Amino acid sequence: MSESPAFRGKSALESPISTKSPPPVTPGVDAAGFSAYTERQNTPLAKPFHRPHHDADSYFGGSETPRPVSPTMVAAGAKSPEELLRRLSLSKSSTEGTSSRNVDPRAAHPNLNLSGRILSATFVVPFNIKFINDNQWELGQRKGTSALFDSFSYLSSPESKWDHTLIGWTGEITQVTKNRRGLGAATLNDAQRARLRAAAPVPVDPKQKQEAFDTAEVQIPASNRASLERMLEKHANGKYVPVWLADKEEDQTKNYVLKDQRRWTRYSQHELYNLFHYIQNEPGDGRSARKAWADYYKMNRLFADRILDIYKPGDIVVVHDHQLLLLPSLLRQKIPSIYVGFFLHIPFPSSELYRCLSQRKELLEGVLGANMVGFQSYSYSRHFSSCCTRILGFDSSSAGVDAYGAHVAVDVFPIGINAAAIRQAAFDNPSVEDKLQRIRQIYAGKKVIIGRDRLDTVRGVAQKLQAFEKFLEANEQWRDKVVLIQITSASERNPDQEKADKKYVNKIANLVSRINGKYGSMSSSPVQHFPQYLDRDEYLALLRIADLGLITSVRDGMNTTSLEYVICQKDNHGPLILSEFSGTAGSLAHAIHVNPWDSNGVADAIKSALTTPKEIRRQQHEKLYNHVFSNDTQAWTSKFLGRLLTNLSSFDQSFATPLLDRTRLLETYRSSKKRLFMFDYDGTLTPIVKDPMLATPSDRVLRNLKQLAEDPNNEVWIISGRDQAFLDEWMGHLSNLGLSAEHGSFLRSPRSDKWENVAGGMDMTWRNEVKEIFESYTERTLGSALEIKKVALTWHYRGADPVLGEYHARKCQRELEDKVARNWDVEVMTGKANLEVRPRFVNKGEIAKRLVNQYFTSSNGVASPIADCELGFVLCLGDDFTDEDMFRSLRQSKLPADYIFSVTVGASSKQTLASWHLLEPSDVISVLGLLNGNAKDQGNLGALNVVEGKIPDASKV
């Protein structure tokens, strides 16, 4: 698209764009996906953090409100852990009420052994980085997410008691060649020129000397990487640690080779950003999606590795946004006791839409590695908790989610802006005053409605224009007395979305043309559309002069334009119309909330806002202004950290069991000489069903077990509570498989058809007493059944009424312990909807101990390095209480801990002796497929990519 010649070279607001032709396509967001509304300037990258003098309701903020003397008083009468957390986190305790200048977080929470350091992980550092002449670096200011960057500035400022470090991707590094005068030594090629022309309001002139951007390949030597890292570490605005995302590393030179740098944004932008904003993509063949997911997993793992390079015990890691959803779990896999908070800056969708994602489980499991998860609004947090329950099966409440043996707090923290800095920039700057007067002259006698949005469908620009058209249609008296100034900035999209974006740009252009054609004149146009960067002073002047702010986003996180508008309206008191679908709506209760899909309703709201009496406007604005000013960036940061620390102090996190690290599992498996597998059956290899006899192994289970067992380096055992007959019937044909029936009472070794009776010499007289008791409860409990095995006896009540079954099970257990267990060497075991009585010396732990001792050999009989030790890998999986014996036995073995992968299976929040966690039997089969080299499973794709260094072929089974 070309640009009107009259527009070129003039101030944006002095030269309205012609409505006879579509508007020029504007500069896109930065390479990493950030929006950009204001023109780049040679200004300092960040100003000192300005803090207003007021008492904020925050962790560090001061207040004179009486405080409880101690947390004990706050917690008095709490009836549940959730209520305790809520009381503690909402109360303003003595430590939270003290000024940050007097309180060190380590002193406020001595039980946490904090280091005083915060490591903030965000997708990209706040700089545009250029590699000049292959030997020096140039840092420019990155635009977008100003509220988040303001939070980082505060944490790095002297006002904060924290030692802050920001970890982020370098962003797309641009290689630039300059001559001695600083001009480019070469011009752009056709592809580069086309890309820049589509992103700039002024066409690129190929004859004009430009910087020569080499987009084909960038090579970064180790010495240059080190120099950039030193530069960022010692930066005046704080400490920054870059994450290098390279396509490869040269073997000889150790250079990092950067080719397709946009690959790292594809999954988060195309899949996550779209779906989280309720945009569903067109179906594809899945190839690009597989590659994007593999890159996403690899990127999150590289972030985890970079953080662990600088991590110290007691550090707090705060992870930001949808690009890093897997990072909390990856960190917890490495350090189970790590303190992690996560905050999502964009909306979270409802479960009906979220479950459309192919990697829905993996993403939720990744986030649940955090100790606390924060959202912009309550509806987003509710959607997240609902997804955890509906998709993963975890118990959740308004306080959080119980997952992997720990409580993950879920809460709401509407982000703020640096209100004091915005006010200073808007009211203490002569340049803003000058531009304000000039704009006022241009639109003299008119009411000014201001809108600023990114130009994509979720920002609701089309809905805004349609509503404004309805307003002009219904209110003839306003047609020459009002002007809508709409500023837009283009979105950064993937190539397969460009067609849809162009359609939307054309739609906006047609709407503007239609409105101006119907209701405009030669001298004025009711819509002034500026699809371009604005000078920041000009933007602030617009916010000050406006009579009405209009935001109609159809799906949004935290809209900071609305907050900036409120601050800039300190004198004018202009109303704010805000979409109810914006994340800001929940915190700006005194704005005028509208449904952007209701054009007539928005039109009525515009009329009502323009005719609101001055005193009412003043009262409403005062409430908005006080809220925005008191809930600024520092307050948001302090509340989030304060709530995280309260959660860590309130709940014992030591029992959290991280999700199984498949990458580490695969690496250890492939590097070991001898491997031992021990699998429970029910609830591990097959799902729990009402009738135990229907829990038969699937063909996929049998194929994976057979493939594992046929490897001569593997010893694979099924250690089950099932009897010999069942195991023989369904798995006896797998000759290389070892079988253990009735929790270790009978054994059949691999490549043998003979069963060994481990409990053969024991007196079994006790069985008659147990049988009599079980039969009495079977008669009283409809739907229950008695299973008589050769050694053990099991009473199943899964088919009974759940309440009656649990009641009779408790009574039966007490009766067995009183009448049988006291007189015989047996134990009463509680399982999943069953009770079992068996000899005390027969359990899965004894079998696990026996197998480890059998296969673990070394020259001196003790644990030794893998070079001298046959057994270098143990994978043990189980789902219930009886399997804890195996996990305990492995913990007590002489095997090095790095060789052992003990994994509990199930969605319950049980505390376990296992070191790892898997959600359900399908995940167990997926893991077996991973070890067998199956590349089809999406859950294995990331691990295979990391270990093999390439995206595996989907056709490989």
Side-chain angles (χ1 to χ4, degrees), residues 922-950:
S922 63
D923 293 324
V924 175
I925 309 309
S926 174
V927 166
L928 300 189
L930 170 68
L931 301 181
N932 286 326
N934 188 343
K936 282 189 174 181
D937 197 307
Q938 291 278 357
N940 295 332
L941 195 60
L944 285 167
N945 183 35
V946 171
V947 174
E948 297 180 354
K950 61 181 180 179

Side-chain angles (χ1 to χ4, degrees), residues 536-606:
R536 182 169 178 79
D537 293 345
E538 198 167 40
Y539 167 66
L540 293 174
L542 266 177
L543 293 185
R544 283 187 56 186
I545 201 173
D547 298 287
L548 175 63
L550 184 56
I551 298 172
T552 55
S553 49
V554 296
R555 189 73 178 164
D556 203 359
M558 186 56 58
N559 192 298
T560 56
T561 300
S562 60
L563 308 179
E564 293 166 346
Y565 173 79
V566 168
I567 295 299
C568 291
Q569 286 290 308
K570 180 172 67 75
D571 298 329
N572 205 31
H573 305 150
L576 172 64
I577 295 178
L578 183 61
S579 167
E580 65 185 57
F581 301 114
S582 169
T584 325
S587 55
L588 297 183
H590 297 285
I592 302 170
H593 294 174
V594 295
N595 177 1
W597 299 102
D598 180 8
S599 299
N600 291 320
V602 178
D604 292 341
I606 293 174

Side-chain angles (χ1 to χ4, degrees), residues 371-386:
N371 300 104
M372 186 182 76
V373 183
F375 296 91
Q376 299 278 16
S377 75
Y378 173 73
S379 62
Y380 305 158
S381 69
R382 180 169 52 84
H383 290 331
F384 175 78
S385 296
S386 175

Side-chain angles (χ1 to χ4, degrees), residues 64-83:
E64 296 181 3
T65 306
R67 310 289 192 190
V69 175
S70 70
T72 304
M73 295 176 60
V74 178
K79 298 179 180 180
S80 67
E82 289 81 5
E83 183 181 353

